[in-house]
Amino acid sequence: MNPDFLQYQAQTSPYPLGMEVSHAIGSYIYDTNNKKYLDFVAGVSACTLGHQNQRVNEAIKNQLDKYSHVMVYGEYSQSPAVEYCKLLASLLPKPLEKTYLVNSGTEATEGALKLARRVTGRSQLISCQNAYHGNTMGSMSVMGFEERKQVFRPLVPDVDFITFNNEADIQKITTKTAGIILESIQGGAGFIQPQNDFLLKVRKRCDEVGALLIIDEIQPGFGRTGKLFGFQNYNIVPDVVILGKGMGGGMPVGAFSASAAHMDLLSDNPKLGHITTFGGHPVIAAACLATLQEITETDLIPQTLEKEKLFRSLLVHPLITEVRGKGLMLAAMTAHPEITNQVIFKCQDKGLILFWLLFEGNAIRITPPLTISEEEIREGCAIILEALNEVQLIIDN
C-alpha cells in the first residue's frame, strides 16, 4: 500500500483495502502490478456502464473542448444540463417534470428535505430504521443507524423513524409530517425490497394527510432493478425522487426531481432557496446525458433481470443463506459477518472485487456494471464459490 495514501489522504476507516489502481476498462480494474480484478461492485453502483465507456468518454471530451464551468447553477442556459433534464422528464412519470442538478446523492437528499418543508410549511421528517440517504448533517439526521451518527449530535430536529415494511408504522405519518423519505429498495440495511404493497400504502397515507413522499433512487436507479427507477416496480409515483450514483457513469453527480409547481418554490420567497456552484456542471451533465441515452437506447435494463437469474442459479452454496435484491442490485447473505469478511478478502486475492453493505454485516454486495457479460458473471461466481469452499474447510476443521 502506498504510504502517502495513508499519510496525506483522509481515510474513512482504519483499514482501507488500499489497492493501487493503474487503469480500468470494461468490467475490470488493474492495479500497479498489472493484476486484473473483475469488478462486481462498480464503484458502489456508480459505474453503470463499466469503466471507460466510449460513449461517456467521448461526451466528456467533446464538452471539455467547448466549455467547462462558466457560472453558478441556474443562471446560464448550458445545453448539456438542459438536454439532460429534458430527457429525464420524458422518462419520469408525471408530474416529475423538473430536476435540480447537484454534486452528489447526499446533497440531493438535503435539497429534497428542504423542498418538503418548503412545500408543506411543516417541520416533521420521517425516515426508516437502517435507512441511508447520505452523510451530510441533514442526510445523517434521516439515517436510521444511531451508532454512525451519535457522536455528531445534535442533528436536524423533528425527525422520527418507522420500520420498513411495517404497515402499522404508516400511521405515524400525520398532518404534522412534511415528508417521508424511503429507499425503493433499502440498500445499507441489506437490499430489502418492499413487501405487501408497502410503498403503495405509504403513498396513500401521504395523500390523506398532505405529506410529501420522497423516494431515494440513489442506489436502485438507472436500470439496476429491471426498470429505469426502482419505484416503477411498485406502482407508485413519488412527489420527489432523489438521484445519484449511477446517473453519471462514474462521474460525481446528484439530482432531485419534482413537479414544476413544487420545484419553483425554491426559487422565490426566499430567492436562492437552494443553491450550488458546481451543480449542473456541463462536463458532468454531458456524461449524465450519454449515460442515460446508452441505458435507454439499448436492452441493458431488461438484461438486468436475465443476469439476475444467472447469478441466482450460480450462487448456490451451503454458506449462502439467501440472495437478496433485484436485478443487478444483489446481496449474497451468509450466516455470520466473519464468513462475509473472509469471502470478500479471499475473492480480492483471487482477482474479484466484492464489498460490504453499510449496516448488514452478513451481506456480500454484488452490484456489477449493467454491461457485465454472462461469461464475466460465470467467472466471478466461480471465484465466489471457490472462496466459499475454502471458508467451509476452515469451519469444518
Side-chain angles (χ1 to χ4, degrees):
M1 188 183 300
N2 185 343
D4 290 349
F5 170 61
L6 297 177
Q7 183 171 354
Y8 298 110
Q9 185 174 339
Q11 306 299 313
T12 56
S13 74
Y15 309 106
L17 292 173
M19 182 200 299
E20 292 188 53
V21 177
S22 167
H23 60 286
I25 187 165
S27 301
Y28 293 90
I29 298 173
Y30 296 78
D31 68 16
T32 51
N33 295 317
N34 208 36
K35 181 177 177 179
K36 182 171 72 170
Y37 298 83
L38 179 57
D39 186 1
F40 267 18
V41 177
V44 190
S45 303
C47 301
T48 309
L49 301 175
H51 303 285
Q52 302 298 321
N53 178 268
Q54 184 176 356
R55 187 170 186 170
V56 175
N57 278 10
E58 287 179 356
I60 290 169
K61 292 171 184 176
N62 289 339
Q63 184 56 43
L64 277 172
D65 287 338
K66 296 175 183 177
Y67 60 91
S68 184
H69 177 69
V70 291
M71 178 53 70
V72 294
Y73 182 84
E75 291 298 320
Y76 289 175
S77 175
Q78 301 175 57
S79 62
V82 173
E83 289 180 39
Y84 179 72
C85 291
K86 183 179 180 180
L87 177 58
L88 190 59
S90 74
L91 298 167
L92 283 166
K94 299 295 182 185
L96 301 172
E97 58 195 337
K98 214 161 197 178
T99 295
Y100 200 118
L101 297 169
V102 292
N103 305 287
S104 65
T106 192
E107 187 183 335
T109 297
E110 299 281 347
L113 298 178
K114 288 170 64 178
L115 182 61
R117 286 184 166 179
R118 177 66 180 85
V119 168
T120 64
R122 305 170 183 175
S123 63
Q124 186 193 48
L125 300 166
I126 294 178
S127 183
C128 278
Q129 300 293 344
N130 291 332
Y132 182 78
H133 303 284
N135 216 38
T136 47
M137 294 299 278
S139 301
M140 188 183 295
S141 300
V142 292
M143 180 198 298
F145 198 78
E146 184 62 24
E147 179 185 330
R148 296 283 178 89
K149 62 184 185 180
Q150 60 186 355
V151 299
F152 302 108
R153 288 189 176 280
L155 299 171
V156 173
D158 208 2
V159 176
D160 199 3
F161 291 88
I162 65 173
T163 300
F164 199 74
N165 283 328
N166 186 323
E167 292 186 27
D169 278 2
I170 294 174
Q171 296 306 309
K172 292 183 178 180
I173 307 168
T174 70
T175 53
K176 296 180 180 179
T177 306
I180 176 168
I181 181 169
L182 301 169
E183 300 156 272
S184 59
I185 296 177
Q186 277 204 305
F191 288 6
I192 298 171
Q193 296 187 68
Q195 303 293 327
N196 300 318
D197 291 327
F198 179 71
L199 295 185
L200 196 61
K201 291 168 183 175
V202 172
R203 169 76 277 176
K204 181 179 178 183
R205 180 61 177 170
C206 287
D207 291 339
E208 290 171 353
V209 301
L212 265 58
L213 174 58
I214 304 167
I215 293 292
D216 180 343
E217 288 288 342
I218 294 171
Q219 286 203 65
F222 295 94
R224 191 158 286 280
T225 66
K227 299 282 188 183
L228 186 58
F229 300 108
F231 72 81
Q232 293 172 317
N233 290 298
Y234 306 108
N235 197 30
I236 64 159
V237 177
D239 297 295
V240 188
V241 61
I242 301 173
L243 310 171
K245 285 192 184 293
M247 72 183 284
M251 300 296 278
V253 69
F256 57 106
S257 300
S259 69
H262 286 170
M263 199 68 84
D264 288 349
L265 294 174
L266 291 178
S267 66
D268 198 19
N269 194 28
K271 294 178 181 178
L272 309 178
H274 197 67
I275 54 175
T276 168
T277 297
F278 291 113
H281 191 287
V283 177
I284 305 297
C288 291
L289 180 60
T291 300
L292 186 54
Q293 288 170 332
E294 184 70 12
I295 292 170
T296 56
E297 293 172 7
T298 65
D299 63 350
L300 283 173
I301 293 178
Q303 276 187 27
T304 62
L305 298 180
E306 294 304 311
K307 292 171 182 177
E308 175 192 352
K309 292 177 184 176
L310 181 56
F311 268 112
R312 289 185 179 277
S313 72
L314 296 171
L315 291 176
V316 178
H317 192 277
L319 294 183
I320 295 178
T321 59
E322 64 174 313
V323 177
R324 292 184 189 167
K326 190 173 181 64
L328 291 178
M329 183 177 176
L330 301 174
M333 308 300 295
T334 72
H336 194 276
E338 186 52 37
I339 297 174
T340 291
N341 291 342
Q342 288 191 46
V343 170
I344 291 172
F345 288 127
K346 284 179 178 293
C347 283
Q348 177 156 316
D349 289 342
K350 297 173 186 294
L352 175 68
I353 297 173
L354 301 168
F355 210 58
W356 296 265
L357 298 186
L358 279 175
F359 310 137
E360 174 50 84
N362 293 352
I364 302 170
R365 171 188 284 274
I366 301 173
T367 56
L370 304 193
T371 49
I372 192 93
S373 70
E374 288 190 9
E375 181 181 355
E376 290 164 344
I377 292 171
R378 293 182 185 278
E379 175 189 347
C381 287
I383 295 173
I384 293 173
L385 295 176
E386 182 182 332
L388 285 164
N389 287 337
E390 292 178 7
V391 174
Q392 184 74 69
L393 281 173
I394 295 170
I395 292 171
D396 292 343
N397 294 325

